[in-house]
Amino acid sequence: MAGCEGLTFHGVSRGVWSAIKHSAAAYGITGGDNGQASHQGYRFSWTYQESTKSLYIQCIDGPELVPCSEINARLRAEVQQHIIAENDASVSANLA
């Protein structure tokens, strides 16, 4: 499989990035702010820039049977889940 189109997320705070890395570790994907890792036939690269609160993730290799649309949909859902959770926590803290 050729690499999938990369995804860029904005508004990713250090806390969100830490939560994303924690979730990725459950799948055997670990690393710092920039890196590449492989697990079960998938290979990902990423770059997190704290100064711009941006995260770029790309699946650069994976099984032929899994389309990029499915891989990227899963990545979007995972990252957005963490961004929403942080935003919800901020709203709750401001209301208290």
Side-chain angles (χ1 to χ4, degrees):
M1 158 186 147
C4 298
E5 181 178 338
L7 302 171
T8 301
F9 300 92
H10 301 283
V12 179
S13 68
R14 175 60 64 180
V16 168
W17 175 230
S18 293
I20 292 167
K21 290 194 307 182
H22 184 267
S23 292
Y27 296 98
I29 305 290
T30 60
D33 288 352
N34 301 293
Q36 287 189 9
S38 298
H39 182 68
Q40 295 185 346
Y42 293 90
R43 191 170 58 161
F44 296 93
S45 72
W46 64 87
T47 301
Y48 172 68
Q49 295 181 328
E50 186 172 14
S51 62
T52 59
K53 293 186 177 181
S54 63
L55 172 63
Y56 176 82
I57 303 175
Q58 182 180 19
C59 179
I60 47 182
D61 198 14
E64 290 291 329
L65 298 175
V66 182
C68 285
S69 59
E70 186 175 324
I71 294 167
N72 281 351
R74 179 72 185 264
L75 287 170
R76 268 190 215 93
E78 289 286 330
V79 172
Q80 289 172 345
Q81 171 186 342
H82 292 293
I83 292 170
I84 289 168
E86 181 178 79
N87 289 339
D88 287 349
S90 294
V91 168
S92 294
N94 289 335
L95 294 175

